[in-house]
Amino acid sequence: MKYKIAYIILGILLIVGYVKTRENTIDKQTLKLLDEVRHMETNEIWEGFDIKKYPLDVNYGNLEYRYMDGDIIKKSPDLQVLALTAISTATGPVVKVLPESELRKITDMGGLSQSERDAIYKSILIHEAFHCYQIEKSGNGVQIENGVIVSADLDEYKIYAELLKRIDNDVKYHKLWNNEISGLKEYLESGDSKSWTESRKQKVDYEKKFFGSEYNVYKKWTDMKELLEGSARYVENKALTIMNQKKNEPSINYVKGDAKFYQSGCLKVQILNEIKGWKDLDFSGSISLDELLISK
């Protein structure tokens, strides 16, 4: 199964006001953070995940610099857009990132201390690098052009995107989704899955009625988003907890678009890893997080 593995902040691929500079190398602040994140023991966050394996390409608009094993190589950008993502190349997965100063503008880190801003930048790098790990574990290559996955599933993905827009405007669905999240939280806190299984059934029954014959398309892509982005968000949150030395508990509310599946998927992965002790996730998409939670 081919799929998109991308973390595009706030849906922007082209960043208004991004200055196409001609840096002679990676700027000092970004380089400092790249070096720090590559010295983190990411295997302690997720067994088998080693961020040092993956090159980090920092994009400055009309050129980029590849950072790997302390070496910096100047090169032309592989992508024609500015994005935070992981791509598959002939030599293996590569992380595509922005300089710290540009990412800070996008993510609006106002009111935070310098150490908190640094931790957020590094946690996002870890999120993206985990997608490289997923690519390796899935055995599927990913190619991205103009911010869009190039695959046989592209037309189907466009259908999914339209389905998502439709149900995002349904207020009743918001409530059903939030009920499932409450059930997942109860499952995580108590180990009792009853509330989740009941609320999940109500939500799924509504989806089937709402979409009819198109339900399977919606389910396929939401399952995929939860698996890939949910696990990457889980790793990101654990990294923040380690760096800030306090538990990272982001708010979870219904939001339009794909972002809600990062949240629900993260909770499901957390239950699998912390309650059920399940670490060997299959990132090929052959099994969903729900199936794992129900079966184990």
Side-chain angles (χ1 to χ4, degrees):
M1 180 184 294
K2 295 183 179 180
Y3 48 76
K4 178 179 180 182
I5 299 180
Y7 184 71
I8 304 170
I9 295 183
L10 301 180
I12 59 172
L13 295 172
L14 297 174
I15 302 172
V16 178
Y18 184 79
V19 180
K20 292 189 175 183
T21 59
R22 291 186 176 274
E23 296 283 347
N24 292 321
T25 188
I26 299 172
D27 66 274
K28 290 183 179 179
Q29 175 63 7
T30 300
L31 183 58
K32 170 181 174 289
L33 298 179
L34 295 184
D35 188 58
E36 288 177 2
V37 80
R38 288 180 65 85
H39 281 85
M40 290 184 64
E41 295 296 334
T42 51
N43 185 65
E44 296 178 2
I45 298 173
W46 189 284
E47 186 176 349
F49 169 45
D50 183 2
I51 195 171
K52 293 187 288 296
K53 293 175 58 178
Y54 311 114
L56 300 166
D57 288 355
V58 186
N59 188 291
Y60 287 91
N62 59 344
L63 56 85
E64 64 185 16
Y65 294 95
R66 174 162 295 179
Y67 181 74
M68 183 69 179
D69 297 330
D71 295 327
I72 300 174
I73 301 173
K74 183 178 179 179
K75 60 189 291 294
S76 298
D78 296 305
L79 303 177
Q80 299 304 309
V81 296
L82 305 175
L84 284 166
T85 188
I87 66 170
S88 180
T89 71
T91 57
V94 175
V95 185
K96 297 292 183 179
V97 303
L98 301 177
E100 183 274 341
S101 59
E102 295 302 324
L103 187 58
R104 177 157 36 90
K105 294 174 186 176
I106 299 165
T107 54
D108 187 23
M109 299 179 188
L112 300 179
S113 67
Q114 182 65 52
S115 63
E116 288 173 326
R117 291 197 300 269
D118 289 351
I120 289 174
Y121 184 78
K122 288 186 285 188
S123 72
I124 291 173
L125 297 184
I126 288 170
H127 177 120
E128 295 309 324
F130 192 71
H131 286 320
C132 290
Y133 173 80
Q134 291 172 339
I135 290 172
E136 287 187 326
K137 298 293 284 186
S138 71
N140 292 305
V142 175
Q143 297 296 333
I144 298 175
E145 293 180 6
N146 298 323
V148 178
I149 184 66
V150 178
S151 79
D153 293 324
L154 179 57
D155 289 340
E156 185 182 80
Y157 183 81
K158 290 179 179 178
I159 294 172
Y160 155 73
E162 289 303 315
L163 295 175
L164 181 58
K165 287 180 183 178
R166 278 171 48 195
I167 204 162
D168 270 342
N169 291 319
D170 190 287
V171 176
K172 183 175 181 180
Y173 186 67
H174 298 188
K175 183 178 180 180
L176 292 170
W177 189 88
N178 285 327
N179 287 344
E180 184 186 10
I181 291 296
S182 296
L184 284 168
K185 288 180 177 179
E186 183 177 328
Y187 191 176
L188 180 62
E189 292 169 0
S190 69
D192 186 349
S193 64
K194 183 179 179 181
S195 177
W196 171 66
T197 54
E198 291 177 351
S199 58
R200 175 186 177 275
K201 183 180 185 305
Q202 292 175 359
K203 190 200 73 169
V204 170
D205 286 347
Y206 188 78
E207 289 172 342
K208 289 179 177 178
K209 183 178 179 180
F210 186 93
F211 292 121
S213 62
E214 295 177 307
Y215 166 73
N216 286 337
V217 173
Y218 183 76
K219 181 180 185 300
K220 170 184 172 180
W221 286 94
T222 54
D223 283 351
M224 207 177 296
K225 292 287 182 180
E226 286 193 330
L227 172 66
L228 300 175
E229 296 296 356
S231 57
R233 176 60 61 82
Y234 172 75
V235 167
E236 176 186 342
N237 286 346
K238 284 197 71 174
L240 274 174
T241 296
I242 292 170
M243 287 185 283
N244 293 331
Q245 295 187 343
K246 62 181 180 181
K247 190 170 184 179
N248 182 58
E249 295 182 346
S251 60
I252 300 178
N253 298 297
Y254 191 97
V255 292
K256 292 185 177 182
D258 286 330
K260 59 181 162 290
F261 304 125
Y262 291 47
Q263 300 171 358
S264 56
C266 178
L267 270 175
K268 291 174 183 179
V269 170
Q270 189 172 0
I271 292 168
L272 284 168
N273 288 344
E274 299 180 11
I275 302 297
K276 297 201 167 190
W278 181 264
K279 280 284 187 180
D280 189 20
L281 287 185
D282 179 357
F283 293 109
S284 70
S286 63
I287 189 168
S288 70
L289 296 178
D290 282 4
E291 288 171 318
L292 288 172
L293 286 170
I294 292 169
S295 65
K296 284 187 64 67

